[in-house]
Amino acid sequence: MQRTIVIGNISLDHIHRPGHQPVRQLGGAALHLAVAAARTGLPVAPGAVLGRDLARLPHDPRLPALDWTLLHHAPQPSAAFTIHYDTADTVTAVDTAYGAAEHLTGHALHLIDRHPQAAFHISCRHPLHVAAVLPALAARGCPFSLDFHLPSAPQLIPAAAPWLHQATTIFVNAEEHTVLTLHAAPRSCREIVISDGPRPARAVLNGRALPPVTPPVQPTVRQITGAGDTLAGTYLAHRTRGVPPPAALTHAVQAASHHIAHTPLTLPAPRSAPS
């Protein structure tokens, strides 16, 4: 099975939710998506930039087997995001320190040049320069999928617009989908997956909407961050294995629901047992 390289941030997240103690945890789209894809059987390698504070990440015993060989280590601290939610679990504010992730665009271009036979998933989020990365993928003929993040979607969806029709799959939430439709006709996109929190998720194939899939109700929500990335990683893994879109979406929605019911990867991480 073709290896997928996931370009995006791996970060230290500080999560604030009303009625909960603040949590310091591992985060970033590249981590959550790669973990979900690996657990579904896809050979996957995160192509991220880490600081010294996350140098031991590949040895974290809580993570599944991933190909860590494409990480780049930088002297700055790793990217850090402080995320505030309201009582409806909607993001109200994000404070960002990109740190080592400022090197992500250069690292992504290096990986595209070195691995033209790989598939790529691009998490289109600052500080990645998508207008440099996407044409490089198109020029090499690499298959690629995309996701966006609401705080940066109004800037990065227009920047990605010339290459949206070449993406195998585009992942957005309901609000990001509204922005996407301003810059790409649904029929021009091969496959769009639209998540909407606890509401039904949808897939649209060349403008044709498939039946929505409603997430199962979770009586206890232990984490919010990473649910959309878990859905995307699971969906990609199933589609790569040839699973039809309706079944892939069902599996992806179930995985995202499973994700929010489990304890986040809080820090500090336990050390691996000595060999």
Side-chain angles (χ1 to χ4, degrees), residues 60-249:
D60 192 317
R62 299 169 297 177
L63 297 175
L66 291 170
D67 178 354
W68 294 107
T69 60
L70 302 186
L71 293 177
H72 177 68
H73 296 272
Q76 297 97 325
S78 299
F81 299 95
T82 300
I83 307 173
H84 297 266
Y85 293 89
D86 62 18
T87 55
D89 288 328
T90 300
V91 175
T92 58
V94 179
D95 299 318
T96 304
Y98 292 122
E102 295 285 2
H103 300 280
L104 183 59
T105 298
H107 183 50
L109 294 173
H110 172 72
L111 292 177
I112 293 166
D113 187 56
R114 285 192 58 196
H115 302 279
Q117 303 304 315
F120 285 79
H121 177 81
I122 310 299
S123 289
C124 298
R125 310 178 186 202
H126 291 314
L128 187 72
H129 184 32
V130 299
V133 171
L134 298 188
L137 287 167
R140 287 283 189 173
C142 301
F144 63 90
S145 51
L146 307 172
D147 75 72
F148 294 91
H149 187 225
L150 187 58
S152 58
Q155 294 80 42
L156 296 190
I157 289 177
W163 303 278
L164 293 173
H165 68 284
Q166 296 184 51
T168 56
T169 310
I170 301 172
F171 296 93
V172 287
N173 68 17
E175 293 179 78
E176 294 154 10
H177 184 239
T178 300
V179 180
L180 181 67
T181 58
L182 298 176
H183 299 277
R187 291 183 181 178
S188 70
C189 299
R190 300 184 205 177
E191 194 168 86
I192 304 172
V193 175
I194 308 153
S195 59
D196 196 12
R199 291 163 290 278
R202 297 175 288 142
V204 180
L205 277 59
N206 294 116
R208 179 175 61 90
L210 302 183
V213 177
T214 301
V217 176
Q218 285 293 354
T220 302
V221 176
R222 292 186 170 88
Q223 61 177 325
I224 300 296
T225 306
D229 301 316
T230 298
L231 185 150
T234 305
Y235 186 89
L236 280 179
H238 281 291
R239 293 290 287 128
T240 302
R241 293 163 58 188
V243 176
L249 184 59

Side-chain angles (χ1 to χ4, degrees), residues 4 6 31-44 64-66 229-230 232-238 241:
T4 296
V6 181
L31 180 66
H32 288 300
L33 194 145
V35 164
R39 285 178 173 155
T40 315
L42 183 67
V44 61
L66 291 170
D229 301 316
T230 298
T234 305
Y235 186 89
L236 280 179
H238 281 291
R241 293 163 58 188

